[in-house]
Amino acid sequence: MTDAVATHPESTESTENTQSTGSTTSAERTEGAARDEGVEARLERHRVELTGYCYRMLGSPFEAEDAVQETMVRAWRSFGTFEGRATLRSWLYRIATNVCLDMLGGSRRRARPMDLASPVSPGVPLPDTLPEATWISPVPDGRVVPEGGDPAEVAVARESVRLAFVAALQHLAPRQRAVLILREVLAWRASEVAELLGTTVASVNSALQRARATLAARDVADTVTVTSLDAELAALLARYVDAFEAYDLDALTALLHEDATLSMPPYGLWLRGHADIRGWLLGRGIGCRGSRLLPVVANGTPAFAQYRRDPSGAGHRPWALQVLEITDGRIGGLNAFLDTDRLFPLFGLPPHLGECRGPSPEWANKWRRRAGAAGRS
């Protein structure tokens, strides 16, 4: 357990002080099972928001889910010691914070390719891939953004899981990271954060000030989330689908900012600007010609599952999860995550697409329908 965080009830398991005076009756077993089911249901109500918290802390959906599962196990085991002096929610956040800080102890921060090296030209040799633990990984909205909540809170939740914001968080020391998320994203009071971390309000305020200064220096771009998707942006996404599937690079680059970036984790290289992105797509990336795109939402932003033509000629197979970063009406970042063996099941995506006829299959018209709906509202 991390020394910096105060020890709390979750660190000890409850013990049974009573002894059985005979065989357990069916009624007693039923009552015990119902009690356990009730506890589990109460804990599960907090799973999505806890996963969002752990994802911001850790930068990986897989590590976040592991952290939340460990949180649930610790909470279930020690539920008998929960005295109700704090809310169940704050108690769970205390456990989750301890788990995350333990996981972050001694580990290197996750990053994006743009954090690790300078841009390259399209003709460079393809480097070796880097381990999964190197990268910020995308996450499905449904895993980290609670549904049906207050619209303003949902908007904040989406904005605070954007790739650029999560990457910026990784530049903070773990305790500063926890303070900033709890104070700025979840709107906890300084006294509540101080109690959770076992420290003083002055220490919390100091950590928050340093964290804000670090994020300000990172100059995190204010990219579009699906919350703010309007007819104009929906039409931009529909044009992107048309251009990419037709492999019309003139039309595609017209949708990009002049200094747009293209990255492809687990490779550490990245490219910047129309000419280099175009050069890559016509060179080493030429296998993307004939791809199909399936719209999804990742990290609060528009994204697409990219399927390349199967060499066997039978339909299309997974190639990348493309997460788009949009600012000022154009695309500023194309983030193509290539670990489809893990990411496509996480997003509930099909392992193969049948052959599609015509320039734009029906599911690629999703953004057109949203554009029409936005235009009528």
Side-chain angles (χ1 to χ4, degrees), residues 56-307:
R56 296 178 187 100
M57 288 288 293
L58 301 170
S60 163
F62 307 105
E63 287 190 353
E65 291 192 344
D66 288 345
V68 172
Q69 190 58 33
E70 176 63 17
T71 298
M72 295 298 185
V73 169
R74 292 188 191 185
W76 187 85
R77 286 176 175 171
S78 59
F79 197 81
T81 68
F82 174 55
E83 299 175 350
R85 288 179 295 182
T87 65
L88 177 61
R89 180 173 181 257
S90 63
W91 185 62
L92 289 172
Y93 269 92
R94 180 179 296 144
I95 302 174
T97 300
N98 280 328
V99 171
C100 288
L101 292 179
D102 284 347
M103 293 175 69
L104 289 168
S107 66
R108 62 179 296 181
R109 65 176 176 85
R110 289 177 176 265
R112 305 172 76 190
M114 291 74 79
D115 297 325
L116 302 181
S118 299
V120 301
S121 62
V124 301
L126 198 62
D128 292 334
T129 60
L130 296 176
E132 184 277 335
T134 307
W135 307 115
I136 303 289
S137 296
V139 66
D141 253 34
R143 299 292 182 102
V144 295
V145 178
E147 295 182 357
D150 179 87
E153 293 179 357
V154 171
V156 170
R158 287 199 171 114
E159 290 170 2
S160 60
V161 293
R162 292 174 298 130
L163 284 174
F165 185 77
V166 173
L169 287 175
Q170 308 312 301
H171 289 269
L172 303 177
R175 281 174 62 85
Q176 287 183 17
R177 203 179 304 172
V179 167
L180 186 129
I181 296 168
L182 291 168
R183 292 280 285 119
E184 301 280 80
V185 176
L186 301 177
W188 284 37
R189 295 191 298 270
S191 59
E192 294 172 324
V193 178
E195 181 181 358
L196 183 149
L197 293 174
T199 187
T200 65
V201 169
S203 177
V204 167
N205 289 335
S206 176
L208 180 60
Q209 185 177 15
R210 293 194 302 272
R212 285 171 172 168
T214 299
L215 288 194
R218 302 301 304 174
D219 192 23
V220 180
D222 187 17
T223 53
V224 167
T225 68
V226 293
T227 302
S228 57
L229 184 68
D230 57 15
E232 182 178 352
L233 292 174
L236 170 71
L237 295 170
R239 291 197 300 272
Y240 176 79
V241 171
D242 284 344
F244 198 95
E245 291 189 340
Y247 225 61
D248 182 344
L249 298 187
D250 288 335
L252 182 64
T253 54
L255 304 175
L256 309 179
H257 283 290
E258 290 289 340
D259 60 350
T261 61
L262 169 63
S263 63
M264 295 155 282
Y267 295 107
L269 59 76
W270 61 286
L271 303 103
R272 171 182 282 157
H274 287 189
D276 283 352
I277 292 175
R278 183 188 184 102
W280 180 271
L281 292 176
L282 289 175
R284 294 188 181 278
I286 195 64
C288 292
R289 188 191 299 273
S291 292
R292 295 302 187 201
L293 300 181
L294 182 64
V296 295
V297 178
N299 295 76
T301 59
F304 294 95
Q306 179 191 349
Y307 291 79

